[in-house]
Amino acid sequence: MKNIIEKAPKVANAFWNLTKEITEVYEGDLKNKELVLVGMFAVSGMFSGLETHIQRAVKEGASEDEIVSTILLGIPVVGICRINQAINIAMNIIKGENDENN
């Protein structure tokens, strides 16, 4: 995203405005919004976004079990390989979060 911000700031701003508008119509709380996004990024294989939204979900109070179970829901959609990779990313992030707090 940093290259888009640098090379096409109007496009970046339009993206952020769209994201803001979508977030305003979402009726759930922030933790559940982040969990939904974790699931979407996991099944799409967009692992850099997955990392961002796992970190945000943890910040909003999501537990390890909530994050893992959210990702596991994607197995019937995309299969075990992509979901296994997403679980590995999640566990590395969660371990890092836990290490910082101890």
Side-chain angles (χ1 to χ4, degrees):
M1 190 67 185
K2 71 178 182 177
N3 287 325
I4 295 173
I5 293 168
E6 181 182 316
K7 300 295 182 188
K10 288 182 181 179
V11 172
N13 285 333
F15 172 78
W16 295 124
N17 288 333
L18 175 62
T19 300
K20 181 179 179 244
E21 292 296 323
I22 292 168
T23 299
E24 288 177 5
V25 297
Y26 177 75
E27 295 186 8
D29 62 26
L30 287 177
K31 179 181 88 169
N32 286 313
K33 176 192 135 209
E34 293 303 331
L35 287 171
V36 168
L37 290 167
V38 164
M40 289 197 288
F41 276 94
V43 298
S44 69
M46 302 302 294
F47 297 126
S48 63
L50 177 64
E51 292 179 26
T52 297
H53 291 285
I54 289 171
Q55 291 167 345
R56 290 180 183 174
V58 168
K59 182 179 175 187
E60 293 299 328
S63 69
E64 178 178 324
D65 288 342
E66 288 174 311
I67 292 167
V68 169
S69 65
T70 295
I71 295 170
L72 289 173
L73 287 171
I75 290 174
V77 177
V78 296
I80 193 73
C81 292
R82 184 174 290 171
I83 297 305
N84 187 54
Q85 189 174 2
I87 293 289
N88 289 340
I89 290 167
M91 296 313 299
N92 288 335
I93 291 168
I94 291 166
K95 285 169 91 176
E97 293 285 337
N98 289 340
D99 290 344
E100 290 175 11
N101 294 328
N102 291 329

